[in-house]
């Protein structure tokens, strides 16, 4: 033959012993090469197809696994930055879906816990802000970690300037610092009272060591007892003053009675003079008791005001006429100034005249001879303002804030007599009218008392 070929010979055997035939197969090599090429092309095509199929499968797997993981990573990073409102909302049931749902549940729980914490913190801040007591918390290093509004006002320091600073720099009072150190060293609560020299406030300070979550921290509580201390002073002075006011006339009464008993009754003229002195002392005691009862009724609101529209100038003129004789005897002139355009005011006229009589009486009593007491009425935005001004002995600066207290008298006022209740009564009557009363004075230069009555609405 003229072409290359491959031959295969197969012997046919019958029953394993008898050769019955011979099969010869001949195939051209070119045909085999053609088959090989076709097979190789098929295999290459199949390989490309399978590669593409694998690529598509890998892309699908990546989109189902790697993509959600990337999204999960991005969302978790957002949550880590504080945005706990982010949610992934995965609807798959595979491992990535379960992981996503677990992160959503964790974020939701954290969000609720932080919201609850912030709500509690807001409540704490609101409570601390409304407290009248100052609160400071110092850490174990002695630095301020919390300071409420009352403490800021007490030490005149904003919280942002106090946080992180040492307790020594913030409170600036060595006795308070020593109290804090004693509490830290002993681990026990320490309580003491101090008077702040600059603000003149009286404080009770309680330093308490904190435990558990705030271990080695200290709570400093500053309670302002200034008003309590002032009331205690007023009470003590009231008892002292009323004892003094009672003791003097009672001692005089006892002395007069003993003198009469020892034989003065036999002398008619002396007896009458002593009886007259007894009557004077009894009248003074009666006046004091009546003024005390009057003040008690006014303070308790048991004296209702009979308000009516009144002319302010007429009231002041009437008081000037009533006090004219007393001023004349003391050698004191009175100068009345009342503009014509002063409006009517709603007042209880007898009570308002009682206030003015008391003020004018004091002005005349403490004025020198040949001096002048000025009576003024002015129309102000807040109402009608009354002024009683003298050029007498004046009031010491230390006594001026207390002149409206019951029984309070300056040293010079004690020598001039009186119950010490007149200005207290005047203050309560003015305030009962919705007004305000105050005083200005320079020692040796005289005093001015002012009070306002609101305009008729």
């Amino acid at each position: 033959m003229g072409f290359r070929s491959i031959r295969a010979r197969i012997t046919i055997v019958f029953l394993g012993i008898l050769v019955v035939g011979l099969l010869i197969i001949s195939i051209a090599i070119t045909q085999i090469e053609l088959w090989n090429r076709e097979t190789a092309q098929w295999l290459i095509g199949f390989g490309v197809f399978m590669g593409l199929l694998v690529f598509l499968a890998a892309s699908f797997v990546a989109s189902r696994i790697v993509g959600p993981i990337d999204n999960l990573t991005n969302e978790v990073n957002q949550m880590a930055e504080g945005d706990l409102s982010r949610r992934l909302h995965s609807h798959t049931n595979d491992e990535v879906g379960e992981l996503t749902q677990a992160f959503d549940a964790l974020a939701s729980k954290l969000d609720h816990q932080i919201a609850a914490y912030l709500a509690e913190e807001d409540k704490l801040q609101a409570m601390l802000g409304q407290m009248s007591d100052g609160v400071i918390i110092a850490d174990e290093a002695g630095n301020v970690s919390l300071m409420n509004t009352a403490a800021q006002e007490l030490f005149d320091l904003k919280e942002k300037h106090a946080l992180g600073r040492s307790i020594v720099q913030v409170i600036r009072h060595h006795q308070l610092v020593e109290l804090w150190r004693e509490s830290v060293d002993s681990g026990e609560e320490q309580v003491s009272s101090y008077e702040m020299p600059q603000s003149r406030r009286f404080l009770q300070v309680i330093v308490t060591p904190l435990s558990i979550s705030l271990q080695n921290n200290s709570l400093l509580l500053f309670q302002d007892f200034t008003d309590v201390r002032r009331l205690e002073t007023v009470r003590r002075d009231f008892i002292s003053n009323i004892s003094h006011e009672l003791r003097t006339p009672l001692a005089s009464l006892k002395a007069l009675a003993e003198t009469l008993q020892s034989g003065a009754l036999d002398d008619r003229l002396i007896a009458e003079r002593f009886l007259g002195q007894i009557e004077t002392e009894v009248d003074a005691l009666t006046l004091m008791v009546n003024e005390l009862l009057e003040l008690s009724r006014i303070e308790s609101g048991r004296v209702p005001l009979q308000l009516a529209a009144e002319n302010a100038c007429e009231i002041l003129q009437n008081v000037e006429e009533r006090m004219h004789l007393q001023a004349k005897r003391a050698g004191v002139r009175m100068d009345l100034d009342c503009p014509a355009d002063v409006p009517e005011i709603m007042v209880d006229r007898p009570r308002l005249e009682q206030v003015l009589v008391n003020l004018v009486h004091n002005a005349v009593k403490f004025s020198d001879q040949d001096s002048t007491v000025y009576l003024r009425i002015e129309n102000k935005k807040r109402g009608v303002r009354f002024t009683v001004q003298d050029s007498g002995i004046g009031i010491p600066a230390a006594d001026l804030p207390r002149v409206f207290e019951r029984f309070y008298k300056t040293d010079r006022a004690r020598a001039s007599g009186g119950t010490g209740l007149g200005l207290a009564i005047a203050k309560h009557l003015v305030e009962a009218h919705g007004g305000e009363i105050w005083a200005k004075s320079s020692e040796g230069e005289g005093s001015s008392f002012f009070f306002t009555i609101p305009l008729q609405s």
Side-chain angles (χ1 to χ4, degrees):
M1 293 186 178
F3 56 86
R4 299 169 58 197
S5 63
I6 296 176
R7 293 182 180 181
R9 187 175 61 181
I10 302 172
T11 302
I12 301 172
V13 180
F14 182 72
L15 298 176
I17 57 172
L18 180 63
V19 176
V20 294
L22 181 68
L23 177 63
I24 300 174
I25 299 175
S26 178
I27 301 175
I29 292 177
T30 56
Q31 185 64 35
I32 293 174
E33 291 175 347
L34 178 62
W35 286 350
N36 288 339
R37 285 196 299 271
E38 290 178 352
T39 300
Q41 291 175 355
W42 183 85
L43 289 174
I44 291 171
F46 181 76
V48 171
F49 171 76
M50 290 303 295
L52 180 62
L53 184 63
V54 169
F55 173 77
L56 292 175
S59 298
F60 175 76
V61 171
S63 65
R64 294 295 301 273
I65 298 178
V66 178
I69 291 177
D70 287 340
N71 292 335
L72 177 62
T73 302
N74 292 333
E75 295 298 327
V76 169
N77 288 334
Q78 294 291 328
M79 294 177 185
E81 293 177 0
D83 186 6
L84 295 177
S85 63
R86 308 285 295 228
R87 297 291 183 273
L88 301 176
H89 302 299
S90 176
H91 301 291
T92 62
N93 295 322
D94 55 10
E95 289 80 0
V96 176
E98 292 178 357
L99 181 61
T100 301
Q101 293 172 9
F103 271 111
D104 280 347
L106 176 62
S108 179
K109 185 175 181 179
L110 287 175
D111 195 18
H112 291 155
Q113 289 179 341
I114 291 175
Y117 169 77
L118 292 176
E120 291 298 322
E121 185 180 24
D122 289 342
K123 291 179 183 178
L124 176 62
Q125 291 295 337
M127 180 181 68
L128 290 174
Q130 294 299 318
M131 285 180 62
S132 58
D133 297 337
V135 175
I136 293 178
I137 294 181
D139 60 24
E140 58 183 339
N143 297 323
V144 174
S145 58
L146 183 145
M147 189 177 191
N148 75 339
T149 304
Q152 295 172 41
E153 295 175 354
L154 184 63
F155 295 104
D156 192 24
L157 191 66
K158 295 295 184 182
E159 185 179 31
K160 62 181 181 181
H161 298 143
L163 295 182
R165 297 177 64 184
S166 71
I167 197 74
V168 177
Q169 293 175 306
V170 172
I171 62 180
R172 304 186 300 276
H173 195 291
H174 73 278
Q175 290 179 303
L176 300 182
V177 174
E178 287 301 320
L179 187 70
W180 166 71
R181 285 176 176 163
E182 288 178 13
S183 176
V184 172
D185 294 339
S186 65
E188 297 178 354
E189 181 178 276
Q190 301 291 328
V191 182
S192 189
S193 299
Y194 298 98
E195 185 173 3
M196 305 296 286
Q198 296 179 345
S199 61
R200 294 187 175 275
R201 289 183 174 180
F202 188 81
L203 303 178
Q204 176 173 278
V205 184
I206 304 174
V207 184
T208 305
L210 300 178
S211 58
I212 308 176
S213 60
L214 292 174
Q215 191 170 5
N216 298 325
N217 283 235
S218 300
L219 171 67
L220 291 86
L221 181 67
F222 302 89
Q223 297 176 317
D224 191 346
F225 279 10
T226 304
D227 290 338
V228 176
R229 182 72 174 270
R230 183 184 62 81
L231 291 174
E232 175 63 22
T233 301
V234 170
R235 184 193 66 81
R236 187 172 58 249
D237 289 348
F238 172 77
I239 294 174
S240 175
N241 287 326
I242 196 171
S243 298
H244 175 80
E245 296 298 333
L246 289 173
R247 183 172 60 248
T248 301
L250 288 175
S252 297
L253 287 172
K254 181 176 177 59
L256 291 169
E258 289 177 348
T259 303
L260 289 173
Q261 287 175 345
S262 63
L265 283 173
D266 298 333
D267 189 328
R268 182 177 179 82
L269 293 177
I270 295 177
E272 289 180 353
R273 181 162 59 87
F274 280 15
L275 288 174
Q277 292 176 356
I278 289 175
E279 185 179 9
T280 301
E281 296 296 346
V282 170
D283 288 343
L285 286 173
T286 302
L287 175 62
M288 183 176 65
V289 171
N290 288 339
E291 288 189 343
L292 268 175
L293 292 174
E294 174 82 351
L295 180 59
S296 177
R297 287 195 295 267
I298 294 172
E299 286 179 336
S300 62
R302 289 180 293 170
V303 180
L305 299 178
Q306 305 297 324
L307 299 178
E310 299 285 353
N311 186 297
C313 290
E314 289 182 2
I315 294 175
L316 192 59
Q317 288 169 355
N318 187 50
V319 170
E320 191 268 343
E321 291 174 2
R322 290 173 57 183
M323 299 301 297
H324 178 75
L325 181 58
Q326 179 184 340
K328 185 177 180 180
R329 289 175 179 171
V332 176
R333 295 181 298 275
M334 286 194 291
D335 184 287
L336 177 63
D337 181 15
C338 184
D341 61 346
V342 175
E344 289 186 333
I345 51 178
M346 291 294 292
V347 294
D348 185 323
R349 181 163 180 159
R351 293 296 182 181
L352 190 62
E353 288 188 0
Q354 182 181 356
V355 173
L356 286 165
V357 165
N358 182 276
L359 296 179
V360 175
H361 171 77
N362 287 343
V364 171
K365 182 168 62 175
F366 295 111
S367 292
D368 297 327
Q369 286 190 354
D370 200 29
S371 62
T372 303
V373 172
Y374 297 93
L375 310 179
R376 300 279 184 268
I377 291 182
E378 298 172 272
N379 190 14
K380 299 290 184 179
K381 290 183 179 180
R382 297 171 60 186
V384 174
R385 188 172 78 181
F386 292 80
T387 303
V388 178
Q389 179 182 358
D390 65 66
S391 54
I393 61 176
I395 302 171
D399 295 324
L400 190 58
R402 302 187 59 189
V403 294
F404 294 103
E405 294 178 8
R406 289 180 292 182
F407 287 115
Y408 191 80
K409 295 182 183 180
T410 65
D411 292 338
R412 293 184 180 181
R414 288 190 183 279
S416 63
T419 63
L421 296 171
L423 288 178
I425 293 174
K427 179 178 184 293
H428 285 284
L429 287 176
V430 169
E431 291 177 349
H433 282 85
E436 180 184 5
I437 188 169
W438 68 99
K440 294 181 180 180
S441 183
S442 297
E443 193 170 4
E445 297 181 5
S447 305
S448 297
F449 283 81
F450 309 88
F451 69 89
T452 57
I453 299 296
L455 294 176
Q456 179 180 354
S457 61

